[in-house]
Amino acid sequence: MFIRNLMSTALVVTALASMYFITEASATEVKSVVASKALSKPLKLWYDEAAPDNNQGWVNNSIPMGNGYMGINLFGGAKTERIQITENSLYEAVGPKGLRRTGLNNFAEVYLDFGHDKTSNYERGLNLNAGTSYVNYQHDGVKYSREYFTSYPDKVMAIRLSSSKAGALSFTLRPTIPFLNKGKSGEVSAKDDSVTLTGVMKHYNIQFEGQFKVIPVGGTMKAATSKSQGSISVSNADSAVILIAVGTNYQFDSQVFLTENDSKKLDGFAHPHDKVTGYIADAAAKSYEQLLANHQADYLALFNRVNVDFGAILPTVTTDKLVDAYPEGKSSLYLEELAFQFGRYMLICSSRAGTLPPHLQGIWNVYDKPPWSSQYLHDTNVQMAYAPVFSANMPELFESYVEYFKSYMPRQALYANQYIKEFNPSQLDANGDNGWSGPFWTNPYSVPGKSKVAGFGTGAWIAQMFWDYYDFTRDEQLLAETVYPIMYQQANFTSRFVQDIDGALLAKPSSSPEQKIRNTIGTTFDQQMFYENHHNTLTAAELLGRSDSRLALYEHQLPLLTPIQIGKSGHIKEFRQEEFYGDIDNYDPHHRHASMVLGLYPGQLVNDKTPAWLDAAQVSLTKRTRVSNIGWARAERIAMLARIHDGEEAYAYYKDFLGGNLMHNLFNDHRGDPLFQADGNYGVTAGVAEMLLQSQDHVISPLVAIPAAWATGSYNGLLARGNFEVSAKWANSQLNHLNVVSKAGGLLEIRYPNVAKAVIKTLDGKKVNFTAKGTDKLSINSTKGQTYVVTNIPSFTQVSAPSELKVTQASKREQVALAWTASADAQTYNVYRAVGNAPDYQLIASDVKGVGFDYKPSDLIQAKQVTLKVTAVRADGRESRAGTTAVWLLP
C-alpha cells in the first residue's frame, strides 16, 4: 500500500509540476503546489432565492446540468422543487418557418413537494469545481440540504436530500409528462420505490421512458397512481437519494436518415425500457458516495485540465447581482474567469460520446416549440458549439458529433450525386462516387436538402472540424480511419462541383451564410472552405503516405480555388462582385456573420505567415463594426480579433457579451428577447482561449492578444496544434514562465518577443538545445512526454506603429507619393507592398527617414491595385508588429 501511494504521489507531482511551472522541484515546492491546487479559487454560480416557476425563470434563473443523456434545469424552490428534463432525441416533426416551431420537445417536468413556505438562510448554486449543484435553507429550525449531479459514467441524475434533524425530511416526488396532445401520449405510474414515465411521440414513433427511484433512510414511503399520474411520498425520513434515468429508442444509425417514411425511421430499434431499467439498477447497486466519486472522476478529468487566473477575487454578491453590475461599468475579473469556464462546463454537460451533440440550445429545452426547433445549423452554430473543444483541451467531447455525422453522412452522399448531376453534370460519376455534400439544417431524424441560405462550404467547414480533431491530438489511427476518409470524400464532392470561370474554379451556385445575396458565384465563404479542405486533405495524404486516385487533381485545383480576393477598400471581399466594402445591393455591411474571414478563424489560411491577408482581415472586421448584439457573433469576433493580435478590441467584444448577453444563470441571451442559444457560451470560451494562446500556423504563440485589463495572470492546460499542452504565467503584460508538454512529440516551435534569448530546460532541469530563428522564434525537436520549461525571457516593449498612411500623386503607374503620421518610437521606417491578392508583403524600401516616400515601381504593368504598408523601426532594430496601410488603385 505504501509503495502504491508513493507511485500515485509521484504521478500527481509530475502532473502538477507541468501545470504550475516547477522547474527543479524540491519537496517544499511540491507541497506548496499541492496546497495551491487544493486551495484553488472556487468557481460557482449562487443565488439567494429560487428561480421563478415559469419560462422566464427557466431561461434566466434556472441552473443547468447535464451528462449527454439528459439536460437538467433546476429551479430550487423550497415549497416545491422543479426539475425540468430534456432528452435530445425526443423530437416532433419540424414545424413551418418561423422562430418558434415544433421540433425538440420537453421530456419531463419533475416536482418535489416539500411544503416549506417560510425559510431563512436560503442559498442555491452550481459548483463548477465539483460538478454539483445544491440548495440549502432553514425551515422551522431545521437545516435542509439538497445536492444534485448528473453522471455520465453511470448515466443517471442523482439527488441527495438531507435534514439536520432526524426524521424531519418529508416530500412527494411527482414526475409529469408535459405537452400531451394528439402527437404525444404517455402515462406515469408508481410502484414500490419507483415511478415510471413512459410514452410515445407519434410522428417519428419515438418510444420514451424515464424512471425515478427513491431510496430513503428512515421514515415511511408510499407509492400512488391515479389518472395516469404516479407519485411517491416519503414521510419522516432522515435523508433520501433519488436516482433518475431516461431514454428513447433512438440510435445512431444511417437507417434514420435514409428512411423516407418518418414513422418507420426507428423500426426495429428496441424499446428503451430495458436500458433505462439497467441504468437504474446499476446505479442503485452503488452507494451515493460511489456514484459521486464516479461522476467527479469523469467530470474533473475534463474540467480540471484548464485553469485561467486573471487575478480575480471571490465576489461577495450573488451571481445575478454580479451579472447586473457588469454593464454598469463595474468590470468583474471573476465574471470574466467564470464565463470562460462556464462554457467548458456546458460542453461537458452536452457533448458526450454515445449521445447526440449539442444543438442550438445545447442540451436544454423547456418548450414544445423551441427557437428554430432546437436543430443543428452548420453555417456557424454547430461549429461554434465545438469551437472550444480542442483549444480548451476537451478533444474527446467531439466524439458525440463524430457518431452523429457518421449516421447522416450516407444521406449526404446521395445528395452529392443529386447536386453534381444538377449543377455540373459533366463531372458526375455514374457509379455514385461523388463524395458527400454539406448540410445546412439537420436534426436527429432528418437532413433537408440544399438551402439557399448558405453555400456548400458548410461541408468543408464540417470537415475542418475533423481535421482539427487530428491536428490537436495527432492521433494517427484517428487520421487514417476517420478524418482522412471524411476530408477526402468532401474534396471529392468539391472537386466535381466547382466550375472553371475565367480561369478560376468557383462554386456555382454559391451563397454567403444568411446574407440576402444568394445563389451567386464564388463567395469567399465557399472558396475559403473548399481551399482549406483541399489543403488539409493533401497534408493528411502526405502524412499517411496515401496515393488515392483524385489527390493529383486536388493538388492541381488548389491554387485555382482563389480563396482570398482583396477589395478596393483593402478588405477581404465577401462577394466577388464587390469593389469597395459594402457597395453592392442587398448587402448587409454590419451582418452578424463575418463569413469572409473564416479563413482567419476558425481556419488556418490567414495567419502570421500571410501578413497582407491578416491586414485585409482587420479592415473587414473594422468595417463590420460592433453594431450586432447577437451573442454568438460577439463571441466569434473575440476569436477573430485575437487572431489579428487586437487584444483590446477582442476584450471589448468580451465585455459586450458579458454586459449585454449574459442572463442571470450565465446562459447566452441570443439577441435580447430573452432567447437562449448555447453557441455564444461555447464561443466566448474559445475566444478567450485564442486571446491567451494561438497555434493556427503550428507555432505556439502565447499571449498574442492579451488586454491591459489582464496585465497579470496565468493559465494552465490549454491545447495547441501538435498536441502540445501549454501553461503560462505573466506579469506587467510580460511572459514570465511557459511550460509546454509535448504529448505526441515532433517539432515544437514557439513565437514570442525575445523568446530565443530565454532559458529552456526540461522538467528535471536539463538544458534544452534549440534553434533560434531571430530573437522572437525558436524550434525544438520535442520528445513525447517531455515538458519544456521556458523562463528568464527578457522583457520587451512594443514599437508604436505609424498611422494615417496616405497615397498622393497616384495618377500615374510609374510613381506614387506616400505620407504618414510619425511613430514616437521610430528611428526609421520600412515600406512594403502587396500586389493584388498577394498574401505576403514585399519590402520595397528600408531605413527610410522622415514621414514620406516616393515609390517608383517598374513592374506593375498588369496590376490593378497595390496595398502599401509602412512600419516603424526602433533604434534597437525591433520593428512594429502593426503598421499603417493604404490601397493604391492604379489608373
Side-chain angles (χ1 to χ4, degrees), residues 161-186:
L161 310 175
S162 59
S163 61
S164 63
K165 180 181 177 181
L169 179 65
S170 298
F171 65 91
T172 296
L173 168 68
R174 294 187 294 113
T176 68
I177 304 175
F179 303 122
L180 290 172
N181 55 43
K182 64 181 181 180
K184 183 182 183 183
S185 61

Coordinates of all heavy atoms in Angstrom, one line a residue, residues 161-186:
L161 N -31.2 14.3 -0.6 CA -31.9 15.2 0.3 C -31.6 14.8 1.7 O -31.6 13.7 2.1 CB -33.4 15.0 0.1 CG -33.9 15.0 -1.4 CD1 -35.4 14.6 -1.4 CD2 -33.7 16.3 -2.0
S162 N -31.3 15.8 2.5 CA -31.0 15.6 3.9 C -31.5 16.7 4.8 O -31.8 17.8 4.3 CB -29.5 15.4 4.1 OG -28.8 16.6 3.6
S163 N -31.6 16.4 6.1 CA -32.0 17.4 7.1 C -31.1 17.3 8.3 O -30.6 16.2 8.6 CB -33.5 17.2 7.4 OG -33.7 15.9 8.0
S164 N -31.0 18.4 9.0 CA -30.2 18.4 10.2 C -30.8 17.7 11.4 O -30.1 17.4 12.4 CB -29.8 19.8 10.6 OG -31.0 20.5 10.9
K165 N -32.1 17.4 11.3 CA -32.8 16.7 12.4 C -33.3 15.4 11.9 O -33.9 15.3 10.9 CB -34.0 17.6 12.8 CG -34.8 17.1 14.0 CD -35.9 18.0 14.3 CE -36.8 17.4 15.4 NZ -38.0 18.3 15.7
A166 N -33.1 14.4 12.7 CA -33.6 13.0 12.3 C -35.1 13.0 12.2 O -35.8 13.6 13.0 CB -33.1 12.0 13.4
G167 N -35.5 12.4 11.1 CA -37.0 12.2 10.9 C -37.7 13.5 10.4 O -38.9 13.5 10.4
A168 N -36.9 14.5 10.0 CA -37.6 15.8 9.6 C -37.8 15.9 8.1 O -38.4 16.9 7.7 CB -36.7 16.9 10.1
L169 N -37.4 14.9 7.3 CA -37.5 15.0 5.9 C -38.8 14.3 5.4 O -38.9 13.1 5.5 CB -36.3 14.4 5.2 CG -36.3 14.4 3.7 CD1 -36.2 15.8 3.2 CD2 -35.1 13.5 3.1
S170 N -39.6 15.1 4.8 CA -40.8 14.6 4.2 C -41.0 15.3 2.8 O -40.8 16.5 2.7 CB -42.1 14.8 5.0 OG -42.0 14.2 6.3
F171 N -41.4 14.5 1.8 CA -41.6 15.1 0.5 C -42.4 14.2 -0.4 O -42.6 13.0 -0.1 CB -40.3 15.4 -0.2 CG -39.5 14.1 -0.5 CD1 -39.6 13.5 -1.7 CD2 -38.6 13.6 0.5 CE1 -38.8 12.4 -2.0 CE2 -37.9 12.5 0.2 CZ -38.0 11.8 -1.0
T172 N -42.9 14.7 -1.5 CA -43.6 13.9 -2.5 C -42.9 14.1 -3.9 O -42.7 15.3 -4.3 CB -45.1 14.3 -2.6 OG1 -45.7 13.9 -1.4 CG2 -45.7 13.5 -3.7
L173 N -42.6 13.0 -4.5 CA -42.0 13.1 -5.9 C -43.1 12.9 -6.9 O -43.8 11.9 -6.9 CB -40.9 12.0 -6.0 CG -40.4 11.7 -7.4 CD1 -39.6 12.8 -7.9 CD2 -39.6 10.4 -7.4
R174 N -43.2 13.9 -7.8 CA -44.3 13.8 -8.9 C -43.7 14.1 -10.3 O -43.6 15.2 -10.7 CB -45.3 14.9 -8.6 CG -46.1 14.8 -7.3 CD -47.2 15.8 -7.2 NE -46.7 17.2 -7.1 CZ -46.8 18.1 -8.0 NH1 -47.4 17.9 -9.2 NH2 -46.4 19.3 -7.8
P175 N -43.2 13.1 -11.0 CA -42.8 13.3 -12.4 C -44.1 13.5 -13.2 O -45.1 12.8 -13.0 CB -42.1 12.0 -12.7 CG -41.8 11.4 -11.4 CD -42.9 11.8 -10.5
T176 N -44.0 14.4 -14.2 CA -45.1 14.6 -15.2 C -44.6 14.7 -16.6 O -43.4 14.9 -16.8 CB -45.9 15.9 -14.8 OG1 -45.0 17.0 -15.1 CG2 -46.3 15.9 -13.4
I177 N -45.5 14.4 -17.5 CA -45.1 14.5 -19.0 C -45.8 15.8 -19.5 O -47.0 15.9 -19.5 CB -45.7 13.3 -19.7 CG1 -45.2 12.0 -19.2 CG2 -45.3 13.4 -21.2 CD1 -45.7 10.7 -19.8
P178 N -45.0 16.7 -19.9 CA -45.6 18.0 -20.5 C -46.1 17.8 -21.9 O -45.6 16.9 -22.6 CB -44.4 19.0 -20.3 CG -43.2 18.1 -20.5 CD -43.5 16.8 -19.9
F179 N -47.0 18.7 -22.3 CA -47.4 18.9 -23.7 C -48.0 17.6 -24.3 O -47.7 17.2 -25.4 CB -46.2 19.3 -24.6 CG -45.6 20.6 -24.1 CD1 -44.3 20.7 -23.8 CD2 -46.4 21.8 -23.9 CE1 -43.7 21.9 -23.3 CE2 -45.8 23.0 -23.5 CZ -44.4 23.0 -23.2
L180 N -48.8 16.9 -23.5 CA -49.5 15.8 -24.0 C -50.6 16.3 -25.0 O -51.3 17.2 -24.7 CB -50.2 15.0 -22.9 CG -49.2 14.2 -22.0 CD1 -50.0 13.6 -20.8 CD2 -48.5 13.1 -22.8
N181 N -50.6 15.6 -26.1 CA -51.6 16.0 -27.2 C -51.8 14.9 -28.2 O -51.2 13.8 -27.9 CB -51.2 17.3 -27.9 CG -49.8 17.2 -28.4 OD1 -49.4 16.2 -29.0 ND2 -49.0 18.3 -28.3
K182 N -52.4 15.1 -29.3 CA -52.6 14.0 -30.2 C -51.3 13.5 -30.8 O -51.2 12.4 -31.3 CB -53.5 14.5 -31.4 CG -52.9 15.6 -32.2 CD -53.9 16.0 -33.3 CE -53.4 17.1 -34.2 NZ -54.3 17.5 -35.3
G183 N -50.2 14.3 -30.7 CA -48.9 13.9 -31.2 C -48.0 13.3 -30.2 O -46.9 12.8 -30.5
K184 N -48.4 13.4 -28.9 CA -47.6 12.9 -27.8 C -48.5 12.3 -26.7 O -49.4 13.0 -26.2 CB -46.8 14.0 -27.2 CG -45.8 13.6 -26.1 CD -45.1 14.9 -25.5 CE -44.1 14.5 -24.5 NZ -43.5 15.7 -23.9
S185 N -48.3 11.0 -26.4 CA -49.1 10.4 -25.4 C -48.2 9.8 -24.4 O -47.0 9.5 -24.6 CB -50.0 9.3 -26.1 OG -49.1 8.3 -26.7
G186 N -48.7 9.5 -23.2 CA -47.9 8.9 -22.2 C -48.7 8.8 -20.9 O -49.7 9.4 -20.7

